[in-house]
Amino acid sequence: MAEAGIWIFGEQARGRILPVTWELLTRGRALADKRGSRLTAVVFGAQLDRADLQEAIERGADRVLACEAPLLEHFLPEPYAACLMHLIREESPEILLGAASSTGRTLMPYVAIKADTGLTADCTELDIETQTGLLLQTRPAIGGNIMATIKTPQHRPQMATVRPHSTPPAPRQPGRVGEIVVRRAPPEALTSRVRRRGFRPAADENALAEASRIVCVGRGIKKGEHVALGRRLARALDAALGGTRDVVDRGWLEYPAQIGLSGKTVTPRLYIGLGVSGSIQHLAGMQTAEAIVAINTDPDAMIFKVADFGIVGDLFEVVPALIKHLEER
Amino acid sequence: MKILIPIKQVPETNAVRMDEATGTMIREGVDAIINPLDLYALELGLRLRERAGGEVVALTMGPPRAIEALREAVAMGADHAVLLSDKAFAGSDTWATSLALAAAIRKLAPYDLIICGERATDGDTGQVGPGIAAWLDLPLISYVAGVSELTPRMIQARRLVEEGYEDLEMDLPGLITVVKEAAAPRLPTLRGKQRARRLNIPVWGPDDLGLTATQRGLVGSPTRVVKIFRPKISRQAHLVKAPDAAAAARAAQELAAWLASRHLLPAAAASRAGQEVGHG
């Protein structure tokens, strides 16, 4: 058993571990089993829920390595990077995975430079190369048109961020045992030139990254007031509402709702496009959804090429009927 | 106030075609543009300069033609520009790219603020901005959606995260990466274009930056692309034509049943849709 082991960087909010951590455990467990090494979940916070740490063990971690300090309550790049570097120097892990979230995509590139190693962004597949034991990091490139597999041959740890929702959360196995280490963060790590002054939650309908269902409106919605129709469908489906760049540029939805290359990349279980034509930029942001439904009047719309279920028709006829089916008996 | 803005020249994605046999991008004849997400960084930099005074310097690493991207940045209003270009830089990953840019930024010191786009639309990693901050040991705010205050010593910014917006304050010098909300980019002006044509843009290579052979390009990059392949597209759309209202109603019903059969509906709606189908 290689003691260096495989690490995942778990995320928390208000002391509770976030679901994306369980997805990282799915990835980490598979790699650790193949490599025959130990899986460690690293998590930082002010006061971490102890039952959640136990849950990380039940979901596949062999060890939880937690650091606590008031300054670690919310993500701040400097103290988080300093604590993580402290642990990396102590133990020299072989592999370190983080989520491709706003936290992971900030922390991991900062730490990769400090640790003098490579980092692959937003991976959708991870594997261990049998002959060499190297991490094979596969990610969509050039707007999702190709997949690239990347290795980090010489530098350690091999680091990657993993696209949220690209794998199911690790199942809970009650009674699974492991080690939980909670320690105080090293004092020299606890400085930050960035200070958090406040927080304003976004409207719920914009929580695209976490949504398992998304309704997306495109230019075919024609008018800003028609976005309400998409919103009604989203409500009936308990879905988040997103839009294409056209829709956001026209001011019909706000930027956090934008899906595509210059907006958010989403991987929901269900994506429904209403009047979305399917530009390359948009497809790059949603084509990894589990199921794709498209409603568009143009039978040649690109979106139909990535759809599982397509309706060539007027969304203003189809959507009200669909809402009726979903809402009424 | 001196504001530095690293940008990238990228292929215009509308024009990207793929070589079906090799699965690689056909770059010949593809227009190159400033990474669209870098335009927000440029615009924010120009606005902050208008507010606080000082200068904006755009810099990029790329092939010789990347100078076009810098001229466009100058046409928009940047005061100066620097191109990092040399065959030795070819094949740089985000580690080597952020090191080269950080070395150039050190040469341009003293500076107050570095503004990067959130990521480039071709590489799509978003790693170079935070990487530069790490090399220079600067504080960092990523995903900035707006700047509310800027003084010679600190900046206040709104950071877009999954659940909402954080209000953060950062000591300067520091680095921010910005999202689209930060500022709607202006168009280049005629006067700016004339100035851009005349402006002397220095070209720096690895020796100017003091980078050794193991710190640059493919050789200096910790990561290696070992395989490129086309994604499996296993989708085959079930297409339903709905030319009129009656057909649309039928299509909607079929879709509801399909969603239910694939377990894609929330619990409550699933049972309703299931009942409907059951009643035929």
Side-chain angles (χ1 to χ4, degrees):
Chain A
M1 183 181 275
E3 186 52 36
I6 293 172
W7 288 13
I8 62 129
F9 184 80
E11 295 188 19
Q12 58 87 27
R14 290 168 292 277
R16 302 300 309 272
I17 291 190
L18 295 175
V20 71
T21 309
W22 312 143
E23 296 171 22
L24 291 172
L25 284 175
T26 301
R27 301 288 191 170
R29 191 65 257 163
L31 298 175
D33 287 344
K34 193 158 180 187
R35 187 85 180 111
S37 59
R38 191 154 90 129
L39 178 61
T40 296
V42 177
V43 56
F44 299 160
Q47 235 180 343
L48 297 163
D49 186 284
R50 294 301 188 263
D52 282 5
L53 300 186
Q54 182 58 39
E55 189 172 339
I57 298 289
E58 292 178 5
R59 289 182 189 267
D62 299 312
R63 178 178 63 152
V64 172
L65 188 49
C67 281
E68 287 185 336
L71 190 64
L72 301 178
E73 181 180 3
H74 303 287
F75 169 64
L76 291 170
E78 291 165 275
Y80 267 58
C83 284
L84 191 50
M85 277 311 298
H86 183 86
L87 299 177
I88 289 172
R89 286 200 189 101
E90 268 185 3
E91 301 202 20
S92 308
E94 191 179 23
I95 290 172
L96 171 59
L97 308 179
S101 58
S102 62
T103 295
R105 290 191 85 159
T106 307
L107 174 67
M108 295 284 279
Y110 200 89
V111 165
I113 297 304
K114 296 287 183 193
D116 192 19
T117 188
L119 170 64
T120 302
D122 207 23
C123 295
T124 53
E125 289 168 46
L126 292 169
D127 199 0
I128 298 277
E129 192 173 53
T130 322
Q131 310 92 295
T132 59
L134 290 176
L135 180 66
L136 296 172
Q137 309 153 76
T138 300
R139 67 183 301 259
I142 316 173
N145 286 306
I146 61 167
M147 303 294 285
T149 301
I150 293 163
K151 282 201 272 203
T152 310
Q154 310 289 344
H155 300 68
R156 295 294 176 272
Q158 303 161 80
M159 289 178 60
T161 58
V162 182
R163 181 176 291 191
H165 295 293
S166 62
T167 195
R172 221 172 152 159
Q173 306 160 60
R176 195 177 180 283
V177 293
E179 184 191 357
I180 296 177
V181 182
V182 181
R183 42 195 275 184
R184 249 185 254 159
E188 69 275 14
L190 298 176
T191 62
S192 179
R193 287 168 288 179
V194 176
R195 293 164 293 277
R196 194 178 195 264
R197 295 293 185 218
F199 182 75
R200 185 162 60 87
D204 268 357
E205 66 176 32
N206 288 340
L208 288 176
E210 292 297 317
S212 58
R213 281 175 292 274
I214 290 174
V215 170
C216 180
V217 294
R219 198 163 42 181
I221 203 85
K222 289 181 185 143
K223 285 184 178 171
E225 58 257 41
H226 294 161
V227 170
L229 183 62
R231 190 168 285 126
R232 273 178 59 211
L233 178 61
R235 278 212 195 101
L237 283 165
D238 191 21
L241 181 69
T244 61
R245 194 173 92 177
D246 281 328
V247 165
V248 171
D249 283 350
R250 283 169 171 74
W252 298 345
L253 279 174
E254 296 204 333
Y255 172 67
Q258 184 174 323
I259 296 170
L261 215 46
S262 53
K264 287 207 172 71
T265 300
V266 296
T267 310
R269 286 203 62 216
L270 171 66
Y271 166 100
I272 300 187
L274 308 179
V276 174
S277 61
S279 68
I280 286 178
Q281 290 93 328
H282 185 70
L283 297 183
M286 45 62 74
Q287 63 190 356
T288 51
E290 188 181 318
I292 295 174
V293 173
I295 302 170
N296 199 309
T297 47
D298 176 7
D300 297 321
M302 280 296 290
I303 188 98
F304 288 126
K305 297 215 189 310
V306 301
D308 300 286
F309 194 110
I311 296 177
V312 183
D314 184 349
L315 73 92
F316 297 101
E317 289 175 351
V318 176
V319 175
L322 179 59
I323 293 171
K324 217 171 128 217
H325 281 293
L326 296 170
E327 280 180 348
E328 295 174 3
R329 284 178 169 273
Chain B
M1 174 121 341
K2 186 158 166 184
I3 301 171
L4 307 182
I5 306 180
I7 62 174
K8 185 179 186 186
Q9 192 180 48
V10 300
E12 187 174 7
T13 41
N14 275 333
V16 167
R17 286 172 305 132
M18 301 299 295
D19 184 326
E20 293 290 330
T22 61
T24 55
M25 194 171 67
I26 301 170
R27 283 180 185 265
E28 290 80 51
V30 176
D31 281 345
I33 55 169
I34 295 183
N35 169 37
L37 303 185
D38 291 343
L39 294 177
Y40 310 122
L42 268 169
E43 178 62 33
L44 180 65
L46 295 172
R47 286 189 197 182
L48 293 177
R49 179 194 64 187
E50 282 155 15
R51 216 198 282 179
E55 56 175 346
V56 166
V57 183
L59 61 158
T60 193
M61 183 169 94
R65 74 186 277 203
I67 202 160
E68 296 159 20
L70 293 173
R71 293 209 189 277
E72 194 181 330
V74 172
M76 278 175 71
D79 298 284
H80 303 285
V82 177
L83 173 64
L84 313 185
S85 191
D86 192 289
K87 283 202 168 64
F89 289 135
S92 293
D93 70 359
T94 58
W95 187 97
T97 303
S98 58
L99 173 59
L101 288 165
I105 288 167
R106 269 199 200 101
K107 245 175 105 96
L108 293 166
Y111 52 84
D112 302 283
L113 182 63
I114 302 167
I115 310 178
C116 298
E118 180 206 336
R119 59 195 150 85
T121 53
D122 58 349
D124 200 24
T125 71
Q127 291 177 177
V128 170
I132 292 171
W135 281 115
L136 298 171
D137 202 26
L138 291 173
L140 158 72
I141 304 179
S142 55
Y143 303 100
V144 166
V147 169
S148 54
E149 213 186 317
L150 179 70
T151 74
R153 307 195 53 178
M154 69 89 183
I155 187 169
Q156 282 179 355
R158 219 157 44 105
R159 176 171 185 255
L160 177 65
V161 296
E162 285 79 357
E163 316 81 36
Y165 295 94
E166 292 179 323
D167 289 316
L168 298 166
E169 185 182 292
M170 177 172 77
D171 297 341
L172 295 181
L175 185 147
I176 61 175
T177 75
V178 301
V179 297
K180 180 175 180 173
E181 270 175 290
R186 69 192 66 188
L187 293 171
T189 61
L190 191 60
R191 246 182 74 194
K193 281 182 187 170
Q194 286 165 347
R195 197 174 155 265
R197 260 199 305 275
R198 289 193 307 266
L199 186 73
N200 178 38
I201 296 179
V203 183
W204 293 348
D207 295 341
D208 302 300
L209 302 177
L211 297 176
T212 65
T214 56
Q215 291 178 311
R216 65 204 195 201
L218 187 63
V219 179
S221 296
T223 61
R224 286 282 177 283
V225 177
V226 292
K227 193 170 85 169
I228 294 218
F229 58 100
R230 291 182 69 77
K232 299 162 265 183
I233 297 180
S234 54
R235 298 185 200 275
Q236 275 208 307
H238 173 66
L239 272 190
V240 180
K241 292 207 171 69
D244 55 44
R250 283 196 302 276
Q253 185 171 6
E254 195 185 329
L255 174 55
W258 183 85
L259 293 172
S261 73
R262 296 273 301 256
H263 309 290
L264 291 166
L265 296 177
S271 70
R272 286 193 297 267
Q275 279 166 10
E276 254 170 50
V277 176
H279 293 163

